[in-house]
Amino acid sequence: MLADFTVPGSCGKFPTDIGMPSGGSLTADQWLLLATVYGPIIIPQLWSACLPSDADEQTLQNRVTMISKLDTEREAQAKGKANDRKALEEARKQGKDAYTAEKARIALEKLTITEAKKQEKLRITAAKQAEKVRLAAEKKAKAAEIRAGKKRKALSQVVEDLPEGQIHLPPPPPAVSSMGMRTPQQDETTEQTGDNDDANMKFSLHPDDPLNFLKLSASLHLLMKHKISDYDISQADQLIRKYGTELITLYGSSVIKPNHHYATHVGDCARNFGPLHDFWTFLFEWLNKVLKSFKTNNHANGELETTFFQEFQRVSHIGRLTYSLLRHPKDSLPCEVAEIMLKATNEECGTVAGLAALSQELDNVSADGTVLYALSPRHKTREMSTETYRLLARTLCFCFPLTPVHCRSDRAVVSHSIPLDRVAVFFDYVIVNGKHYHASRTTGTSNSSFVHVVIPGKNLVHAYGEVLEIFQFTQDFYGAGQSLWFA
């Protein structure tokens, strides 16, 4: 499912092999991406597998019971360990012999419990195996009986109440009813596979887990706003606290970690310092991961730092050189070489492409952070495609009905319609409020082309889409030396 995602480049990158050793550990910004983008889309699909819609109340109750049983066992183990520590402290006060005897007693008790669990597990395994053998024997006997019945029917040519020459068809196999009732054959399969339910039960989600997770996602959505109010902060704080409280109710107190407590202070940070975007350190987290990925050849005794930063500086220079080559003409050899280098291993940290992308992003943030609107310096003048050409004609007619235009290949609808030129200037990207939006048809990727546009009017309209092309159109419609441009 991760491979099917296409997200804006500004959101960061997410490993497609998450959970595998090759995927490594997630950084803080990747955890944020998981909780706000990937999680709300993917996790409900996982819930559909763990919590089927046709599950009856008894199945869901069994899961709740299993989770409660596991939590009770954990609490009993924790209580037993606390009692053992207390008993050892009391025995230590009584002397060395008492302490040794108490320690031996605890060890013997643990050994007895472990042996009892082992015997119980062996008993359950033996019972399951015996049940499998019994079911297999019954199935084999039924199959033999069916084969014998078919053989007897084949030997007999006379069937009661059946006209001569007509074929006697076997009865149709039983099917699943509309109410979800299963056939006896399916029940046998369920019995054979059902013995794994207890083993898989402890890995199942609680039936109320989906709604609880959405509280966390909703709180993060509020806290990530670029403009946040006291009401938003209060709502987010309540959602985070409800999430933690319900988590204890669903899975027990053992699942709570220090980060759950730290999250309760995020609201106070937002009140003191403003929106989280203004002071979070996700970019530094990403940079730390890049730095740690460099090979240092196991240098030590003072050489490690020198070797590390020499390697970092070398790759930084190569990255900046790579992007300087991109400023050459589009069809030139230096530009083609740079594009190949960037596309080769763009998702690997510690490589030329990975660090070049990081260097370029840092440069862009520094240089364009205060730019309200600007077009890319690199552009190309060419003819528009037929689709773009006709769309531009319709748009101009809609926006300027007093100055109708038409495509040169079409007949004019009205006599004063102006033929539209087909040549325009196409740009790689546009900067709006310090952020880059790339034309997907020019760059070949849509990672940085997704936009959210607010259309003003009596009722604001929120539109979402992809920037396919960015172009400037110039044509003197009135013959007065003034041009109407379109971008």
Side-chain angles (χ1 to χ4, degrees):
M1 288 185 283
L2 293 176
D4 298 332
F5 268 81
T6 302
V7 298
S10 59
C11 292
K13 298 176 182 177
F14 201 71
T16 56
D17 51 356
I18 180 175
M20 304 294 291
S22 58
S25 59
L26 298 181
T27 58
D29 61 324
Q30 289 173 335
W31 279 113
L32 175 66
L33 190 63
L34 175 63
T36 56
V37 179
Y38 290 90
I41 298 176
I42 290 181
I43 291 182
Q45 299 182 49
L46 300 179
W47 286 332
S48 64
C50 298
L51 301 174
S53 58
D54 58 347
D56 55 13
E57 187 66 27
Q58 184 61 37
T59 302
L60 299 180
Q61 185 61 37
N62 289 340
R63 295 188 178 186
V64 175
T65 303
M66 178 59 67
I67 293 173
S68 301
K69 180 181 178 182
L70 294 174
D71 186 49
T72 303
E73 292 178 355
R74 285 193 294 263
E75 290 181 356
Q77 291 177 359
K79 185 176 180 180
K81 290 180 180 179
N83 292 336
D84 291 342
R85 286 195 297 269
K86 185 177 180 180
L88 287 175
E89 291 296 331
E90 294 294 335
R92 191 190 299 274
K93 297 177 182 179
Q94 298 176 8
K96 184 177 180 180
D97 294 340
Y99 178 78
T100 304
E102 183 64 23
K103 193 173 182 180
R105 183 194 67 79
I106 294 175
L108 180 60
E109 182 179 347
K110 290 182 178 180
L111 182 62
T112 303
I113 295 175
T114 303
E115 187 65 25
K117 289 182 178 179
K118 185 185 297 185
Q119 294 298 328
E120 180 66 15
K121 187 175 180 180
L122 292 175
R123 185 192 66 78
I124 295 175
T125 303
K128 290 180 179 179
Q129 188 64 28
E131 182 67 15
K132 286 183 179 180
V133 172
R134 184 187 67 80
L135 292 174
E138 290 182 358
K139 185 177 180 180
K140 187 176 181 180
K142 289 182 179 180
E145 184 179 351
I146 293 174
R147 286 196 299 270
K150 289 182 178 179
K151 187 175 181 181
R152 287 194 298 270
K153 290 181 181 180
L155 293 176
S156 177
Q157 298 295 328
V158 179
V159 181
E160 187 176 357
D161 298 331
L162 185 69
E164 185 177 355
Q166 185 174 342
I167 302 176
H168 181 72
L169 297 176
V176 180
S177 69
S178 59
M179 299 299 293
M181 300 297 292
R182 301 181 64 86
T183 62
Q185 291 83 355
Q186 291 171 325
D187 290 337
E188 292 178 6
T189 305
T190 303
E191 291 178 2
Q192 295 177 12
T193 58
D195 52 10
N196 294 324
D197 289 346
D198 293 339
N200 295 330
M201 190 73 71
K202 59 184 178 182
F203 302 107
S204 299
L205 292 172
H206 193 283
D208 296 331
D209 187 272
L211 292 177
N212 187 44
F213 174 78
L214 290 179
K215 289 183 175 64
L216 175 63
S217 298
S219 64
L220 292 176
H221 177 75
L222 291 173
L223 292 171
M224 287 181 60
K225 288 183 175 181
H226 288 274
K227 294 182 180 180
I228 190 170
S229 63
D230 289 335
Y231 177 77
D232 293 333
I233 296 175
S234 299
Q235 287 292 106
D237 185 65
Q238 291 180 9
L239 288 170
I240 288 178
R241 295 179 184 276
K242 287 181 180 179
Y243 167 76
T245 304
E246 291 183 10
L247 202 62
I248 298 175
T249 304
L250 299 181
Y251 298 106
S253 58
S254 61
V255 301
I256 297 299
K257 305 298 180 184
N259 283 341
H260 291 95
H261 170 72
Y262 300 154
T264 60
H265 295 286
V266 175
D268 294 334
C269 293
R271 288 189 179 92
N272 294 333
F273 306 108
L276 302 186
H277 286 272
D278 294 342
F279 62 91
W280 66 19
T281 58
F282 288 126
L283 180 59
F284 303 102
E285 292 279 352
W286 182 33
L287 180 59
N288 287 337
K289 186 173 183 179
V290 174
L291 295 177
K292 289 190 292 185
S293 65
F294 286 101
K295 297 180 180 180
T296 58
N297 298 328
N298 296 322
H299 287 200
N301 299 325
E303 298 180 356
L304 177 63
E305 293 80 4
T306 303
T307 303
F308 182 85
F309 283 105
Q310 283 179 348
E311 174 70 7
F312 177 69
Q313 185 180 25
R314 181 185 70 84
V315 180
S316 296
H317 285 317
I318 295 176
R320 296 183 188 277
L321 174 62
T322 303
Y323 272 95
S324 67
L325 295 177
L326 286 175
R327 298 194 179 119
H328 287 73
K330 183 68 175 178
D331 298 331
S332 64
L333 180 61
C335 183
E336 292 181 359
V337 171
E339 290 179 350
I340 293 174
M341 293 174 66
L342 291 176
K343 291 181 179 179
T345 55
N346 194 34
E347 295 199 2
E348 297 183 9
C349 295
T351 61
V352 173
L355 197 56
L358 176 61
S359 301
Q360 180 68 13
E361 180 174 342
L362 294 175
D363 289 344
N364 292 339
V365 171
S366 176
D368 303 328
T370 58
V371 177
L372 295 180
Y373 174 80
L375 295 169
S376 64
R378 191 172 67 171
H379 55 272
K380 186 176 182 180
T381 302
R382 60 179 175 85
E383 289 189 354
M384 291 176 278
S385 64
T386 303
E387 177 187 4
T388 303
Y389 185 45
R390 293 187 177 278
L391 179 61
L392 176 61
R394 290 197 298 268
T395 303
L396 290 176
C397 290
F398 177 79
C399 296
F400 307 99
L402 299 179
T403 309
V405 297
H406 64 275
C407 298
R408 292 184 179 272
S409 58
D410 299 337
R411 292 182 59 183
V413 179
V414 293
S415 59
H416 61 284
S417 179
I418 301 174
L420 193 66
D421 291 342
R422 190 159 184 165
V423 177
V425 182
F426 289 81
F427 297 86
D428 291 351
Y429 63 85
V430 62
I431 303 173
V432 180
N433 293 329
K435 188 174 181 180
H436 286 65
Y437 297 94
H438 293 260
S440 59
R441 289 182 178 176
T442 303
T443 60
T445 177
S446 59
N447 289 345
S448 301
S449 304
F450 298 111
V451 292
H452 171 206
V453 180
V454 180
I455 303 175
K458 185 176 181 180
N459 296 320
L460 293 179
V461 178
H462 293 266
Y464 302 86
E466 176 185 345
V467 178
L468 300 177
E469 293 176 321
I470 302 172
F471 64 92
Q472 178 177 316
F473 175 76
T474 304
Q475 183 174 351
D476 190 356
F477 288 97
Y478 303 104
Q482 296 180 352
S483 300
L484 175 67
W485 62 273
F486 181 89

